[in-house]
Amino acid sequence: MEQLLSFTGLIFIIPVALFVTFKGKHLHRNEYTYYWTAGAIALVATVLSLLSLAGAFGFDLSRIHLVYQLFFQGHLTFSLFVLVMFAGAFRHKSKPKITLMRVRREMAILGFIFLIPHAAFLLTTALGAWNPTGTIALLIMIPLFITSFPRIRKKMNSKKWRSLHKWAYAAYAFIYAHLLTINLIAQDDELRHVRFFLYSLIFLVYVLMKYNYYILPERKEA
Ligand code: HEM
């Protein structure tokens, strides 16, 4: 069971993708309800993270298995960000692209909200282990998160907005570095190589799709 839970982020890509396929319109129309709900969950999880770090209660958060993986170990954020990434990689006008693009902003905002308890829970571990990859990804994402809200986006020049949001690629690279370093250095269970392989496969497929659909056609036209 423990071993399966270490794959939560990878497995959860499927239910999250199904949710945005069948409930994407609902998410898009009620985005702020989702943000407030996610914000409330993240706030409770962040307070629990800080209390647990301060040793305020003797309860081990990892005993709440799936919830622990999803909200405290960064897995839900990972599943959401994978779909945000792939929204930009599918072929123009393809069905998956239309489905994912409709809720890309919402998935990115929710991913960031759910990142906060993970960061609060593990900041001291990350910095104590001299592994700032996750922290750098978080710092890059702060301006992207703020400017993703439609009201703020509307106030920005669209060229400036686009060039700012190119930083998402740097954030993806740091997320990948984060997952690799954690599985190579920080973890010692026997399945870490499998996770290392699967995370690498996802990022490799993403790079190849971007190269195939965007970079190659542009080169052919040039
Ligand atoms: C978008 C950014 C981030 C994502 C998607 C993310 C995702 C994840 C995932 C999925 C894991 C588990 C890896 C595995 O077991 O295979 C993990 C572990 C970890 N993350 Fe993050 N993370 C992010 C940012 C951060 C930040 C900001 C920090 C620190 C402030 C951080 C600190 C850690 C640490 C220390 C671990 C190891 C936990 C352990 O082994 O107990 N992460 N992260």
Side-chain angles (χ1 to χ4, degrees):
M1 184 63 180
E2 277 306 311
Q3 291 183 333
L4 189 64
L5 282 171
S6 69
F7 290 84
T8 302
L10 292 156
I11 297 168
F12 256 70
I13 295 171
I14 300 164
V16 176
L18 288 173
F19 181 82
V20 298
T21 305
F22 297 107
K23 288 278 171 199
K25 275 187 191 153
H26 188 268
L27 168 58
H28 186 62
R29 281 195 209 120
N30 303 284
E31 60 178 308
Y32 285 94
T33 311
Y34 281 87
Y35 301 154
W36 284 111
T37 311
I41 296 170
L43 181 67
V44 172
T46 303
V47 171
L48 286 178
S49 294
L50 298 175
L51 287 174
S52 124
L53 286 182
F57 46 70
F59 184 69
D60 175 8
L61 288 174
S62 67
R63 279 166 55 197
I64 44 173
H65 307 287
L66 184 62
V67 173
Y68 175 72
Q69 297 296 334
L70 285 173
F71 300 108
F72 297 92
Q73 286 290 68
H75 287 274
L76 185 55
T77 293
F78 172 77
S79 311
L80 284 158
F81 282 146
V82 166
L83 295 174
V84 172
M85 280 165 61
F86 276 85
F90 280 109
R91 200 190 293 273
H92 193 52
K93 287 187 178 164
S94 64
K95 229 177 162 197
K97 175 132 198 151
I98 295 167
T99 307
L100 293 176
M101 283 308 279
R102 185 169 57 199
V103 287
R104 181 152 84 154
R105 171 180 77 233
E106 291 82 350
M107 291 191 295
I109 291 175
L110 290 171
F112 186 89
I113 293 173
F114 288 128
L115 176 60
I116 296 164
H118 175 60
F121 188 55
L122 289 164
L123 186 63
T124 44
T125 313
L127 298 181
W130 293 97
N131 186 350
T133 47
T135 313
I136 296 171
L138 171 79
L139 293 176
I140 294 173
M141 281 173 181
I142 293 171
L144 306 186
F145 168 70
I146 295 168
T147 56
S148 288
F149 288 94
R151 258 177 246 166
I152 297 178
R153 184 179 176 168
K154 270 182 207 149
K155 286 188 186 147
M156 285 179 77
N157 165 302
S158 78
K159 226 175 162 190
K160 264 194 184 158
W161 189 91
R162 274 173 206 283
S163 72
L164 174 67
H165 279 253
K166 291 228 163 83
W167 279 92
Y169 297 116
Y172 300 156
F174 275 102
I175 293 174
Y176 180 50
H178 182 59
L179 299 169
L180 288 197
T181 47
I182 277 159
N183 278 286
L184 278 183
I185 305 161
Q187 290 180 354
D188 54 8
D189 63 297
E190 65 224 27
L191 290 177
R192 68 197 175 118
H193 296 296
V194 181
R195 287 196 302 276
F196 177 96
F197 170 76
L198 291 174
Y199 289 135
S200 301
L201 187 67
I202 287 180
F203 280 86
L204 183 69
V205 170
Y206 170 73
V207 170
L208 289 177
M209 282 172 71
K210 276 294 239 190
Y211 184 76
N212 225 359
Y213 298 151
Y214 290 90
I215 298 169
L216 276 186
E218 274 171 28
R219 278 207 190 146
K220 273 180 208 156
E221 280 165 24

